[in-house]
Amino acid sequence: MTTAATRRSDQRISPVFLGILAVTAVTGWATWTGFAEEPGVAVFLFVTAAWVVSLCLHEYAHARTALHGGDITVGAKGYLTLNPLKYTHALLSIVLPVVFVIMGGIGLPGGAVFIERGRIPGRWRHSLVSAAGPLTNVLFAAVCTAPFWLGALDGVPQDFRVALAFLALLQVTAAILNFLPVPGLDGYGVIEPWLSYKVKRQVEPFAPFGLLFVFALLWVPSVNAVFFDLVDAVLRGLGVSDSDSARGWDLYHFWP
């Protein structure tokens, strides 16, 4: 078993992650009960903390899948502890995605955990390692929207409802962006094992700039409109109205 080489301490949940989870729970309670004098502050803290939790779970999914695929080094690197400070680029993985949420309400995909791909045999396993992260965002979006598509909104306070709607929007944007077959993103990682060696060599120099290219495209008004039309369509399919997600963004962005 590949997991045998991973020590139990390598998989112990980090106090850092538990602290972020505690902030999510406390601010979620404050949002639900209306305890905070300024509801926007509670929504801001709740959504931001929950977003960081989802980023940690995204990277954990990559690492856990890689471990079972054959890369037994992920444990020693601290990737299985859910500690965001252990990531290869904590700035790219946590700080920048949070900044982009604050600036524009976009769930920017982060990265990265370093996977030793040479230890993982088989193209399907490589594809699954790449897909595991954005699939976590899909699952997170399904959980956030469960009260909407289950018709279980009775008794759910309005502020908490719209906070969930905005958090779901972040998860949907992250999933869509991550699944784009652009070098440097997980979507390309899914198809890369199936490409010829020649194509991979030609594409490799562009990988560090893939995310920047996608972000630049989102600044083009026509592309931005198409992208968010797709996001809104997915959310409506999950029972979340445009007004709920917009109201969630307004509350989140509570400062003038």
Side-chain angles (χ1 to χ4, degrees):
M1 294 290 288
T2 57
T3 55
T6 305
R7 295 172 300 178
R8 184 171 300 177
S9 60
D10 292 338
Q11 304 186 63
R12 188 174 298 134
I13 297 178
S14 162
V16 175
F17 178 77
L18 292 176
I20 299 168
L21 206 60
V23 172
T24 305
V26 171
T27 55
W29 169 82
T31 301
W32 181 284
T33 61
F35 179 81
E37 185 173 328
E38 172 54 65
V41 174
V43 169
F44 174 82
L45 293 174
F46 169 59
V47 172
T48 301
W51 172 236
V52 174
V53 167
S54 74
L55 292 173
C56 294
L57 292 174
H58 176 113
E59 301 302 339
Y60 175 84
H62 284 309
R64 173 61 68 174
T65 308
L67 173 67
H68 292 288
D71 182 6
I72 60 174
T73 68
V74 294
K77 293 170 184 171
Y79 297 158
L80 301 178
T81 66
L82 290 161
N83 185 353
L85 301 180
K86 295 292 185 179
Y87 299 151
T88 308
H89 300 291
L91 176 67
L92 294 178
S93 296
I94 299 298
V95 178
L96 280 183
V98 169
V99 168
F100 277 99
V101 168
I102 294 172
M103 289 175 57
I106 297 177
L108 184 74
V113 291
F114 177 70
I115 305 300
E116 296 190 16
R117 295 279 182 168
R119 295 175 176 268
I120 302 174
R123 291 181 292 184
W124 281 108
R125 291 186 182 185
H126 284 276
S127 294
L128 187 57
V129 168
S130 295
L135 286 175
T136 303
N137 294 111
V138 172
L139 180 60
F140 212 106
V143 171
C144 290
T145 58
F148 297 87
W149 50 265
L150 288 174
L153 289 172
D154 289 345
V156 177
Q158 180 182 0
D159 288 351
F160 191 82
R161 184 184 78 237
V162 299
L164 282 182
F166 179 56
L167 183 57
L169 180 146
L170 297 180
Q171 300 303 324
V172 171
T173 58
I176 293 175
L177 290 174
N178 264 298
F179 271 128
L180 292 176
V182 174
L185 298 181
D186 290 329
Y188 178 75
V190 173
I191 65 172
E192 183 183 26
W194 308 90
L195 300 177
S196 68
Y197 177 76
K198 180 180 179 181
V199 171
K200 287 189 282 190
R201 284 296 302 271
Q202 290 174 335
V203 170
E204 186 177 0
F206 301 99
F209 310 104
L211 184 57
L212 292 176
F213 172 73
V214 170
F215 180 67
L217 276 181
L218 287 175
W219 280 94
V220 178
S222 58
V223 175
N224 185 278
V226 170
F227 174 72
F228 276 101
D229 282 346
L230 174 60
V231 171
D232 289 340
V234 172
L235 289 173
R236 284 193 298 271
L238 293 170
V240 179
S241 68
D242 298 353
S243 60
D244 275 344
S245 55
R247 173 62 177 156
W249 161 246
D250 288 340
L251 265 182
Y252 181 84
H253 202 268
F254 66 92
W255 55 93

